[in-house]
């Protein structure tokens, strides 16, 4: 059961980055992200209502949902979608894999929870790997400055996501129901994005090509609703620390798809960069228990 949840989560999270590229084009990014979360919110809230698990939330709970909307279901994805116009989707995913490290840094900054030495070593490895990956991409693209723009924007998006994790943790500590809060947060995020789109003079209509619509449906239902639920189920079964290994593996899926569909070209610098990012995450989280057991059994 746990293995199935783990594989499903990694595959979903690893493939959504490529699906985002299919939404870049005629439809403004803010409209695309808005519809993604409008559909996801409607689907999740309807599913909860049908199961009789849609409680009436308090005003404080709705305020927390608004904060989640700003961090997890709007501004961060605006950054990710925008960055995809300038960098391969796989690199977007690799930067996002630093989110757990940013979580710990935020806890250090905001709650004075000082990380241990292994975390600092892992964080330095991870950030060094990112710099090496983008350095290789920068050189390969003949010093194209838009690569640096893409890096900066996707890092901002990852930081928004990290702050959203802290908001979610605080909401759960207060006993707020997670899935209903998430459903409302997705809805608030959609309203916020549609308001921005209308203010900018955009129509809320979106492209109706089969590729765009299928990508929208995949991102809204598979990526945002099912992927989120499988991850939560995984956290419930094996704990948040072990579930965090998803962030180690899904960038490899994203980079593999980017190689096939976007023509991402590997160099020795990019290979070393990925190894540093993965190694940094492993240094932070430690080796998985099955790997530890195998190692001790074959010493």
């Amino acid at each position: 059961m746990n293995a199935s949840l783990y594989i499903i989560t990694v595959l979903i999270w690893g493939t959504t980055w490529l699906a985002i590229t299919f939404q870049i084009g005629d439809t403004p990014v803010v409209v695309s992200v808005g519809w993604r979360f409008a559909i996801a919110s409607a689907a999740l809230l309807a599913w909860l209502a049908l199961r009789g698990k849609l409680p009436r939330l308090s005003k404080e709970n709705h305020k927390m949902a608004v904060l989640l909307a700003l961090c997890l279901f709007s501004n961060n994805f605006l950054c990710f979608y925008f960055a995809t116009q300038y960098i391969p989707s796989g690199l977007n995913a690799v930067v996002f894999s630093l989110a757990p490290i940013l979580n710990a840094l935020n806890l250090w900054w905001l709650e004075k929870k000082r990380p241990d030495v292994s975390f600092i070593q892992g964080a330095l490895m991870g950030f060094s790997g990112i710099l090496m990956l983008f350095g290789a991409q920068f050189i390969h693209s003949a010093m194209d400055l838009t690569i640096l723009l893409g890096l900066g924007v996707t890092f901002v998006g990852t930081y928004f996501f990290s702050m959203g994790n802290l908001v979610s943790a605080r909401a759960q500590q207060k006993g707020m129901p997670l899935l209903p809060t998430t459903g409302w947060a997705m809805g608030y995020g959609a309203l916020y994005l549609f308001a921005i789109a209308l203010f900018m003079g955009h129509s809320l209509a979106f492209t109706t090509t089969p590729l765009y619509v299928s990508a929208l449906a995949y991102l809204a239902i598979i990526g945002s609703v099912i992927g989120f639920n499988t991850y939560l189920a995984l956290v419930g079964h094996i704990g948040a620390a072990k579930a965090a290994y998803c962030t180690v593996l899904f960038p490899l899926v994203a980079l593999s798809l980017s190689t096939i569909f976007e023509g991402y070209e590997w160099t020795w610098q990019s290979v070393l960069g990925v190894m540093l990012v993965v190694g940094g995450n492993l240094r932070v989280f430690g080796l998985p228990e099955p790997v530890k057991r195998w190692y001790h059994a074959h010493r």
Side-chain angles (χ1 to χ4, degrees):
M1 180 65 175
N2 290 341
S4 298
L5 289 172
Y6 200 93
I7 292 170
I8 290 170
T9 302
V10 169
L11 289 178
I12 289 175
W13 283 9
T15 54
T16 53
W17 299 95
L18 181 63
I20 287 174
T21 66
F22 299 144
Q23 292 201 293
I24 304 300
D26 296 332
T27 304
V29 164
V30 67
V31 176
S32 291
V33 184
W35 277 113
R36 171 179 178 172
F37 288 113
I39 295 170
S41 173
L44 181 54
L45 293 177
W47 179 69
L48 290 171
L50 287 172
R51 297 181 64 202
K53 295 185 177 181
L54 186 59
R56 186 170 183 175
L57 303 184
S58 66
K59 288 184 179 179
E60 185 180 4
N61 205 153
H62 278 286
K63 290 178 182 178
M64 198 68 75
V66 170
L67 286 176
L68 280 175
L70 295 175
C71 293
L72 292 182
F73 305 118
S74 60
N75 291 315
N76 60 323
F77 278 97
L78 282 180
C79 292
F80 296 143
Y81 276 60
F82 183 81
T84 302
Q85 299 174 81
Y86 302 106
I87 60 176
S89 61
L91 292 186
N92 223 347
V94 173
V95 177
F96 181 75
S97 73
L98 294 177
I101 294 176
L102 292 180
N103 290 348
L105 290 175
N106 281 328
L107 287 173
W108 187 6
W109 172 44
L110 297 172
E111 300 185 13
K112 311 305 179 186
K113 294 182 179 180
R114 184 181 178 87
D116 57 24
V117 174
S118 63
F119 167 82
I120 295 173
Q121 293 171 344
L124 290 174
M125 289 173 64
F127 285 112
S128 298
I130 292 295
L131 292 177
M132 185 160 289
L133 266 170
F134 278 89
Q137 185 73 14
F138 185 60
I139 294 171
H140 181 73
S141 300
M143 309 299 182
D144 189 346
L145 291 176
T146 59
I147 299 297
L148 298 181
L149 176 62
L151 170 61
V153 171
T154 197
F155 189 82
V156 171
T158 303
Y159 191 77
F160 266 116
F161 179 84
S162 175
M163 292 300 293
N165 285 339
L166 298 185
V167 174
S168 179
R170 184 65 58 86
Q172 292 182 65
Q173 289 169 5
K174 292 184 176 182
M176 296 181 181
L178 185 57
L179 287 180
T181 302
T182 300
W184 280 104
M186 289 178 175
Y188 288 137
L191 291 175
Y192 166 73
L193 292 165
F194 287 154
I196 293 176
L198 292 173
F199 179 78
M200 296 175 67
H202 297 312
S203 166
L204 297 186
F206 55 83
T207 305
T208 56
T209 62
L211 184 60
Y212 182 95
V213 172
S214 59
L216 176 60
Y218 183 83
L219 289 167
I221 304 302
I222 306 298
S224 301
V225 178
I226 296 178
F228 185 78
N229 280 309
T230 56
Y231 179 71
L232 286 179
L234 191 63
V235 170
H237 280 251
I238 66 175
K242 293 180 181 179
Y245 283 108
C246 291
T247 65
V248 180
L249 295 179
F250 79 76
L252 302 181
V253 175
L255 277 173
S256 298
L257 292 174
S258 184
T259 302
I260 297 170
F261 293 100
E262 297 178 294
Y264 177 72
E265 296 184 16
W266 291 84
T267 63
W268 69 267
Q269 295 103 321
S270 59
V271 171
L272 182 58
V274 170
M275 291 175 64
L276 282 170
V277 173
V278 172
N281 276 284
L282 289 174
R283 182 60 180 149
V284 170
F285 298 124
L287 289 172
E289 287 301 321
V291 174
K292 288 182 181 179
R293 289 195 295 269
W294 180 89
Y295 173 76
H296 289 302
H298 292 81
R299 289 181 64 180

